[in-house]
Amino acid sequence: MGDLPGYRGASLKALSQQDVSVGDIILVKAKGGEFKGSLLPRYEYADDKHIVLKLDNGYNVGIEVSNIQSISKISEGKKPTFTPPPLPKIDNSLPKVSILGTGGTIASRIDYRTGAVHPAFSAEELYSVIPELAKCAQIETEAVFNIYSENMTPSNWTKLAEACVKKAANVDGIVIGHGTDTMAYTAAALSFALHGIGIPVVLVGSQRSTDRPSSDAAINMISAVTFAVRSPVSGVYVAMHAGTDDGSVAVHLGTKVRKNHTSRRDAFESVNISPVAYVKDQKIELKAKLPARKGAKFEARTKFEEKVALVKFYPGFDPLLIDALVKNGYKGIVLEGTGLGHVSTKCYDAIQKATSNEILVAMTSQCIWGRVRMTVYSTGRELLNLGVIPLADMLPETALVKMMWVLANFKYGEQKSMLQRNISGEINERSPLVRRPA
Ligand code: DGL
C-alpha cells in the first residue's frame, strides 16, 4: 500500500486498491466528471468519505468515494525538496524590519507535492517565497510561536508584546505574521501593551494560502513591511487586502479593526473609523493623523487578566450565566448588549451582585457600528445606576482585551476611568460620519 497519510475507512480502501501515494498525479473518473491532479493528504479529523486532489489550477477538489468509478496513476509524485535560493545581496542602506511569526497561513511555504503547509520563517525562506522583500528592507525573523490563532491566549499576547519590546530599539519597524481568525484581538492587545512604542508594529495575515492563484499573502506582507519601515508613524496596526482593487492594502488602527468575512480577502474592516492608510505599489497614502515615530523609550505594560468574559445578550438570556461568572472568580464582564446598550431587566439582580463584588461590568453594543448611549431609555439609565460602565463606540472584542489589560495593570480605584479613557484610538469622542462598507 502506498503512503496515504490521513486516509482511513472507505477512502483508504479505494486508494489502497490502486498503488497510489499522496503526491502522485492521479486520474479519478467519477459520476459528474473526470478529475486529474495531485493526491493530497487528509487532516486528522477529516471524514473517510472523500479523496482530495489539488488540480492544475491550484484549487483543491474533494471527490466522494461512493461516486468514484475508477482511479488510475498517471505519474509518481516527485519527492519534496526545498532548497532556498542563495540569500539575495543584502542592501545595508535599507531600513531594518523584524518579522515575528506566530503561525497561520501568511508567509508559509506550500509543498506542491502534498499541499502541506510549512512555516517559512527564516529570512532566507521569506526572501525566497516573497523575493520583493529584499528590495524593501533588511529582514530579521523570529518564530515566536507556530499556532493557529484560535489557540492564542492572553499569555501569548504577553510573550508577543515582550518579543516586540526586545526588538523595538534595534529596528525601524516590526511586522507580525498572524492567523486571521483572532488577529484583531491580538492587535488590540498589543495596542494597549505597547502603548507609546516609537515605531510601527504591523500585524498581517492572509485569507488565501500561497498555493492559490488568488493568494493575498505576498501583497499583504510586502505592504506591511513597507508601512513598518517607511511610514512616519508609530503604534499598532493591521495591514490586509483592501477591496476589489487587487493591488491595494488597507492599514487599520489596531483597536478599531474586525474580521468581518470568513473568506474574502478584504475581510478586515475598520469599524466606526476609516482605514488610517493605504499601501499600493509600495507607496503609502496616509489618511489620518497618527502618532509620529519617536525615541525607543516607553513603558510597556504587557500583562493581561484572564478572568474576564465577553457575554453576548440575547432574547431569553439566562442571568444564571452572569451569576456563574461571579461565583467562579471572574474579575470583569463585558456585556455585548442590544442597540444602544441594553439587557433585559431580568439581569439586573445578577449585575447588581457582580458590581457590588467589585467586578467591573461594562457595556458595548452588538450592533458593532455606532456607539452605546445609555441615557436614552430607562433600561440604559437603570443599568448605569447598577454600576454598568458604558464604553462609547469601543468594539466588544477591543473592550474585552482592554478590560483584561486594565485589570492586570491598574489599581481598582483607577480601573473604571482607565476603561473609559481613550488610550490607543479605541474610543472616538464623537462618531465620525464613516461610510459602513456596502
Ligand atoms: N484558523 C486560522 C488562524 O487564524 C488559519 C488560517 C489563517 O491564517 O487565517 O490561524
Side-chain angles (χ1 to χ4, degrees), residues 103-106 147-151 178-183 205-207 259:
T105 310
I106 182 78
I147 56 177
Y148 286 132
S149 75
E150 53 271 31
N151 298 325
H178 201 288
T180 56
D181 287 1
T182 71
M183 184 158 66
S206 110
Q207 284 282 87
K259 181 175 178 175

Side-chain angles (χ1 to χ4, degrees), residues 142-365:
E142 185 184 328
V144 186
F145 331 108
N146 187 15
I147 56 177
Y148 286 132
S149 75
E150 53 271 31
N151 298 325
M152 280 273 170
T153 63
S155 69
N156 290 124
W157 302 335
T158 300
K159 275 198 201 120
L160 193 53
E162 283 164 359
C164 291
V165 171
K166 266 201 216 135
K167 304 282 176 192
N170 306 317
V171 292
D172 298 284
I174 297 174
V175 168
I176 300 172
H178 201 288
T180 56
D181 287 1
T182 71
M183 184 158 66
Y185 291 83
T186 303
L190 296 181
S191 302
F192 298 118
L194 302 177
H195 174 62
I197 193 166
I199 55 170
V201 175
V202 187
L203 288 106
V204 64
S206 110
Q207 284 282 87
R208 314 252 170 101
S209 58
T210 46
D211 59 326
R212 294 181 58 181
S214 58
S215 176
D216 49 345
I219 179 102
N220 288 351
M221 181 56 93
I222 295 164
S223 304
V225 169
T226 301
F227 193 79
V229 296
R230 293 217 216 113
S231 73
V233 308
S234 60
V236 178
Y237 303 92
V238 167
M240 287 292 286
H241 198 279
T244 44
D245 177 353
D246 240 2
S248 186
V249 165
V251 180
H252 308 275
L253 202 61
T255 50
K256 282 286 192 203
V257 63
R258 204 164 187 279
K259 181 175 178 175
N260 280 343
H261 199 279
T262 53
S263 55
R264 277 172 63 142
R265 292 177 300 177
D266 59 353
F268 281 77
E269 288 166 349
S270 286
V271 177
N272 290 322
I273 62 167
S274 300
V276 293
Y278 288 90
V279 182
K280 189 168 183 191
D281 300 330
Q282 296 184 40
K283 284 190 195 70
I284 297 167
E285 198 187 340
L286 283 180
K287 295 282 189 189
K289 202 168 156 10
L290 300 168
R293 282 180 183 266
K294 45 189 175 272
K297 270 206 178 147
F298 77 106
E299 193 191 344
R301 290 189 170 94
T302 61
K303 286 193 235 119
F304 294 89
E305 166 59 59
E306 302 215 3
K307 287 261 179 205
V308 180
L310 174 56
V311 177
K312 185 172 191 137
F313 173 80
Y314 46 86
F317 179 88
D318 189 340
L320 278 180
L321 295 172
I322 297 175
D323 289 335
L325 293 172
V326 176
K327 266 196 213 123
N328 283 287
Y330 272 67
K331 304 207 163 64
I333 301 171
V334 174
L335 294 168
E336 212 184 280
T338 55
L340 294 170
H342 305 136
V343 294
S344 143
T345 50
K346 289 206 174 112
C347 298
Y348 287 5
D349 282 351
I351 290 173
Q352 171 88 73
K353 250 184 261 159
T355 52
S356 54
N357 275 297
E358 299 198 346
I359 294 167
L360 290 188
V361 181
M363 183 63 78
T364 59
S365 175

Side-chain angles (χ1 to χ4, degrees), residues 23 26 43 68-69 93 168 179 230 328 363 388 420 430:
I26 64 172
Y43 61 92
I68 293 177
Q69 290 149 353
S93 68
R230 293 217 216 113
N328 283 287
M363 183 63 78
V388 174
Q420 292 187 291
R430 287 211 174 79

